[in-house]
């Protein structure tokens, strides 16, 4: 970190960023320079991010048998790069704008060049996914940019690291095969770049927080003198006001995070079924509003199919007067099952690429009340040209209740009557849904039923088994056994990807060829039997926690973060005394008691059920064969008791520190005293080793080390209690 800060102090970061871009450009071929200038003269918009991730996914699928969805992993990071280029265009202009757009172009070139190197692409996508968690993607950053030299400097430093990483990747791809072997990209090198990105991302975050607080204070004090001084003859002030007004309009439409559910579905895998049907190709080319309906049984891969369609359409649509919007309903996010949320998100996505939003008269006079359909409709009329065409992908319509579904379909029909909107919808094919959802309710419908002999199933089995064998998750003695596994899975799948995925995970846990063969003979017949077996087999890994985890994950109002669930599980209902020793040391090993039915999202670090059918199984059991079944009221009671107890902890009251640093000589300190000052989280590792090694030096004063441990772990502020925000919000 010190070397990074030392370099940053020598030359202005804006100059060093320009130098980094220039040095990279100098090493490009003439064709690559032409590509750079093509993409570097026009600032990218959000559609360019989606096109790039889709292109990386497509290239990776072609080059790599497993077809990893690596582009999707990079989405958040790429949005940060795109946003920086947009700021350069709006707030900077001139040569600085070319530099900002140049960063986007160089990132694009380097990522598409590394696609051919699958092992490095996987590492890189993981690093950029992690960097994406903290990447500077703040909606307010554009309006704050001109106010702060520090913010400008920190952003430049961040993108100097980005350009440096991309330059390193590009150089690697230009070497001969032998040269690549000799100078392979090491994990330590890549992690150094990740560390530097985190450093500057945190600096940017702190500056943004400070600037936002400063603006709020100014507005609260009605500092008209300052605003007059800032606004007088200031182009930056005018642009800032314009950006703020646009953001207010977009936020009025929706603030729902529609991207994450799509990313989670897309990263599950690839699908090609849609491209094998004439109906899809014909629907895609229509010039008038129409609807394409996909139906399928439970676990047949509808969400993954529609997530892949989003990728395909983003590569297909090139016109600025066309857009691709999407929404994936989530059973575990009640807000996503509301018609107003879905329509508001659609309108926001359609307006998002437009920089100069026209206002409905009086619109900004009231942006505090909930948006009604007519006002959203008026916004679209004011801003979309008559030639505008949009694709809207809507997954999981059957998750909405009857009234919301009826309202949503009616509003979509109204939009399709006014604008050219090509709608694609998926819903589950079940007797009760057939009664509640009729294709005739939609505009010019055509219906595709996902077949049980879906050709994608065979590809999925092949690629998953290949991955498991290569990664040594699946170890077999007789190589011909892999063909027996393939055939048994294909025969028993009945068109259900989820069933196949869960069987493969179970088979990977088998220790002998004989055990695998016995499992193949007695494969569960359906999903309910599969779920019951998984829970019965996994219960021993954490029997006291299994039911509680399933209850909390099932009824949470939004997916819980790993650390939130860890704290919630430590609560003993009725005992309002906070005891850090009750915190789980390893939440991941505890979650193993639920087998593969509970998963942790690699990017969001949220805990959720592997599929909505698991919730059905737990609550309505087609669950007669398991004792873990519970009713919704019981699960809500468990959550309620935990929240009430948690919020009554005395630690959430204002307290003054009375700590006095003691002098404790190592030789005389009982182990239990040392242990009593330490929390049990993974962060204590270094302190624990420091204390352990100090035992070999009897005259070493461990008092300061113990005080350091106490400050870090015993006196945490409220915002470091992870479950507190959820408990306060949903109590």
């Amino acid at each position: 970190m010190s070397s990074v800060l030392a370099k940053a102090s020598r030359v202005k970061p804006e100059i060093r960023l320009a130098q980094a871009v220039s040095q990279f450009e100098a090493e490009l071929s003439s064709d690559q320079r032409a590509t750079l200038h093509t993409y570097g003269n026009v600032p990218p918009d959000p559609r360019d991010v989606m096109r790039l991730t889709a292109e990386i996914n497509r290239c990776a699928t072609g080059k790599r048998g497993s077809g990893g969805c690596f582009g999707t992993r990079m989405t958040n990071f790429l949005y940060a790069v795109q946003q920086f280029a947009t700021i350069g265009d709006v707030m900077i202009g001139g040569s600085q704008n070319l530099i900002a757009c140049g960063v986007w172009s160089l990132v694009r070139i380097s990522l598409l060049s590394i696609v051919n190197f699958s092992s490095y692409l996987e590492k890189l996508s993981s690093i950029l996914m992690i960097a994406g968690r903290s990447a500077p993607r703040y909606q307010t950053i554009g309006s704050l940019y001109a106010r702060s030299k520090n913010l400008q400097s920190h952003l430049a430093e961040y993108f100097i690291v980005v350009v440096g990483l991309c330059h390193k990747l590009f150089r690697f791809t230009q070497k001969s095969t032998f040269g690549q072997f000799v100078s392979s990209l090491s994990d330590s090198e890549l992690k150094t770049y990740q560390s530097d990105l985190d450093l500057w991302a945190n600096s940017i975050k702190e500056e943004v927080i400070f600037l936002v607080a400063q603006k709020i204070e100014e507005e609260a004090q009605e500092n008209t003198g300052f605003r007059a001084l800032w606004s007088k003859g200031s182009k930056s002030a005018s642009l800032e006001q314009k950006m703020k007004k646009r953001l207010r309009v977009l936020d009025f439409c929706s603030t729902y995070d529609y991207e994450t559910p799509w990313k989670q579905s897309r990263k599950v895998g690839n699908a090609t079924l849609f491209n094998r049907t004439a109906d899809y190709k014909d629907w895609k080319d229509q010039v008038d509003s129409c609807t394409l309906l996909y139906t399928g049984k439970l676990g047949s891969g509808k969400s993954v199919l529609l997530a892949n369609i989003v990728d395909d359409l983003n590569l297909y649509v090139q016109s600025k007067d066309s857009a691709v919007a999407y929404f994936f309903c989530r059973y575990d996010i009640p807000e996503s099952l509301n018609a107003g949320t879905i329509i508001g998100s659609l309108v926001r996505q359609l307006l998002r690429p437009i920089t100069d939003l026209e206002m409905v008269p009086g619109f900004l006079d009231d942006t505090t009340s909930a948006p009604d359909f007519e006002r959203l409709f008026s916004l679209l009329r004011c801003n979309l040209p008559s030639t505008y065409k949009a694709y809207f992908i809507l997954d999981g319509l059957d998750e909405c209740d009857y009234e919301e579904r009826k309202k949503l379909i009616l509003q979509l029909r109204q939009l399709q009557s006014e604008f050219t909107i090509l709608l694609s919808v998926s819903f589950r094919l079940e007797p009760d849904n057939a009664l509640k959802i009729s294709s005739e309710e939609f505009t010019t419908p055509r219906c595709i039923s996902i077949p049980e002999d879906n050709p994608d199933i065979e590809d999925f089995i092949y690629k998953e088994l290949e991955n498991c064998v290569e990664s040594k998750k699946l170890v077999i003695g007789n190589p011909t056994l892999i063909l027996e596994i393939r055939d048994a899975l294909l025969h028993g799948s009945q068109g259900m990807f989820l069933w196949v995925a869960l069987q493969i995970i179970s088979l990977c846990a088998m220790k002998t060829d004989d055990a695998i063969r016995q499992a193949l003979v007695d494969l569960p017949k359906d999903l309910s039997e599969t779920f019951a077996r998984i829970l019965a087999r996994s219960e021993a890994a954490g029997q006291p926690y299994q039911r509680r985890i399933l209850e909390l994950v099932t009824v949470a109002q939004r997916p819980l973060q790993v650390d939130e669930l860890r704290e919630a599980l430590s609560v003993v209902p009725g005992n309002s005394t906070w005891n850090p020793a009750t915190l789980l040391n390893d939440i991941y090993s505890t979650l193993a008691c639920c087998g593969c039915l509970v998963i942790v999202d690699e990017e969001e670090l949220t805990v959720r059920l592997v599929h909505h059918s698991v919730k059905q199984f737990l609550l309505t059991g087609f669950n007669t064969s398991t004792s873990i079944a519970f009713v919704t009221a019981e699960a809500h009671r468990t959550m309620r008791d935990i929240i009430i107890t948690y919020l009554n902890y005395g630690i959430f009251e204002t307290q003054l520190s009375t700590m006095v640093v003691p002098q404790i000589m190592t030789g005389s300190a009982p182990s239990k005293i040392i242990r009593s000052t330490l929390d049990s989280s993974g962060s204590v590792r270094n302190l624990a080793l420091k204390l352990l090694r100090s035992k070999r030096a009897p005259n070493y004063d461990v008092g300061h080390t113990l005080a350091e441990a106490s400050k870090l772990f015993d006196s945490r502020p409220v915002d470091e209690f992870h479950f507190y925000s959820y408990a306060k919000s949903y109590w």
Side-chain angles (χ1 to χ4, degrees), residues 626-639:
T626 178
S627 61
I628 197 64
F630 50 81
V631 297
T632 306
E634 291 176 353
H636 278 296
R637 190 179 305 117
T638 299
M639 178 70 84

Side-chain angles (χ1 to χ4, degrees), residues 52-120:
L52 179 54
T53 60
E55 192 169 354
I56 293 170
N57 286 339
R58 183 176 63 179
C59 292
T61 301
K63 301 288 183 183
R64 176 184 166 92
S66 62
C69 306
F70 302 121
T72 309
R73 277 177 147 191
M74 306 176 192
T75 303
N76 282 358
F77 170 78
L78 290 173
Y79 270 126
V81 181
Q82 177 266 326
Q83 190 177 56
F84 178 63
T86 304
I87 293 172
D89 178 54
V90 176
M91 300 298 291
I92 305 173
S95 60
Q96 290 294 312
N97 174 36
L98 293 176
I99 293 168
C101 290
V103 172
W104 166 261
S105 300
L106 293 175
V107 168
R108 185 181 182 280
I109 288 171
S110 60
L111 291 181
L112 290 176
S113 66
I114 202 72
V115 165
N116 297 318
F117 304 87
S118 57
S119 59
Y120 293 114

Side-chain angles (χ1 to χ4, degrees), residues 131-184:
R133 293 177 190 152
S134 60
R137 276 191 70 194
Y138 307 105
Q139 292 190 100
T140 55
I141 208 166
S143 61
L144 297 172
Y145 187 86
R147 287 174 169 257
S148 170
K149 291 293 183 184
N150 281 340
L151 181 58
Q152 296 167 26
S153 173
H154 295 336
L155 278 167
E157 294 289 0
Y158 183 91
F159 287 101
I160 287 170
V161 178
V162 169
V163 173
L165 171 59
C166 291
H167 199 171
K168 178 86 174 177
L169 294 171
F170 180 78
R171 282 177 171 170
F172 175 79
T173 63
Q174 302 305 299
K175 293 177 184 282
S176 64
T177 303
F178 178 75
Q180 290 166 2
F181 176 78
V182 172
S183 61
S184 60

Side-chain angles (χ1 to χ4, degrees), residues 218-502:
E218 289 168 3
E219 291 169 4
Q221 294 174 352
E222 296 184 347
N223 193 339
T224 54
F226 173 83
R227 284 204 290 270
L229 181 64
W230 166 250
S231 301
K232 187 177 180 180
S234 170
K235 178 184 176 184
S236 295
S238 174
L239 289 171
E240 178 183 325
Q241 291 302 314
K242 180 179 175 181
M243 294 175 76
K244 283 176 64 178
K245 184 181 292 187
R246 175 178 176 275
L247 185 57
R248 280 181 65 191
V249 173
L250 293 179
D251 283 350
F252 170 77
C253 297
S254 174
T255 57
Y256 178 81
D257 175 16
Y258 62 89
E259 293 170 352
T260 296
W262 168 76
K263 286 190 294 182
Q264 290 172 338
S265 294
R266 182 64 187 90
K267 286 189 286 186
V268 171
N270 298 305
T272 62
L273 178 68
F274 59 91
N275 264 330
R276 302 177 191 231
T277 60
D279 276 340
Y280 172 74
K281 295 174 183 177
D282 186 51
W283 168 81
K284 193 164 64 168
D285 291 331
Q286 290 298 306
V287 295
D288 296 316
S289 292
C290 57
T291 307
L292 181 64
L293 303 171
Y294 280 99
T295 64
K297 64 162 62 175
L298 200 66
S300 60
K302 298 180 294 297
S303 295
V304 176
L305 179 72
L306 264 66
N308 277 262
I309 287 177
V310 172
D311 261 7
D312 183 68
L313 292 174
N314 276 303
L315 291 172
Y316 177 75
V317 173
Q318 298 297 323
S319 170
K320 290 289 185 183
D321 283 341
S322 297
V324 178
Y326 55 87
F327 194 95
F328 284 64
C329 299
R330 283 281 296 270
Y331 70 95
D332 54 349
I333 307 178
E335 183 186 2
S336 74
L337 308 180
N338 181 283
T341 302
I342 297 169
I343 292 295
S345 178
L346 168 61
V347 173
R348 181 185 177 113
Q349 291 179 66
L350 297 182
L351 296 178
R352 186 181 178 189
I354 302 173
T355 53
D356 296 317
L357 287 175
E358 295 293 331
M359 295 298 103
V360 178
F363 181 85
L364 288 179
D365 295 340
D366 177 21
T367 56
T368 56
S369 58
D372 61 79
F373 179 72
E374 288 305 320
R375 294 179 76 191
L376 294 175
F377 206 177
S378 298
L379 262 181
L380 292 179
R381 285 197 192 100
C382 286
N383 289 280
L384 298 185
S386 58
T387 56
Y388 199 80
K389 177 180 179 180
Y391 296 87
F392 183 42
I393 311 303
L394 175 59
D395 176 61
L397 179 62
D398 50 284
E399 296 291 346
C400 303
D401 68 33
Y402 176 75
E403 290 302 325
E404 291 298 320
R405 200 156 54 206
K406 183 178 177 182
K407 183 195 304 183
L408 175 61
I409 293 173
L410 178 62
Q411 292 176 349
L412 287 172
R413 284 182 66 99
Q414 286 182 256
L415 288 173
Q416 287 181 295
S417 67
E418 182 84 11
F419 307 100
T420 302
I421 296 180
L422 277 60
L423 174 66
S424 182
V425 179
S426 78
F427 59 88
R428 197 162 56 248
L429 194 59
E430 291 182 353
D432 59 336
N433 282 337
L435 295 174
K436 295 175 184 176
I437 303 178
S438 168
S439 62
E440 299 307 314
E441 297 179 65
F442 297 91
T443 301
T444 320
R446 64 184 75 189
C447 189
I448 298 177
S449 179
I450 299 175
E452 283 199 5
D453 60 345
N454 185 345
D456 285 338
I457 283 272
E458 187 171 357
D459 291 341
F460 178 74
I461 292 172
Y462 170 80
K463 290 170 183 176
E464 286 299 301
L465 289 178
E466 182 184 45
N467 282 341
C468 289
V469 171
E470 287 181 347
S471 64
K472 299 182 180 178
K473 292 178 183 177
L474 177 61
V475 180
I476 54 178
N478 185 341
T480 62
L481 180 57
I482 197 70
L483 300 180
E484 297 177 42
I485 295 172
R486 180 200 63 189
D487 293 343
L489 293 175
L490 190 58
H491 176 73
S493 67
Q494 303 175 64
M496 294 183 290
F497 288 85
L498 178 62
W499 183 91
V500 169
L502 295 178

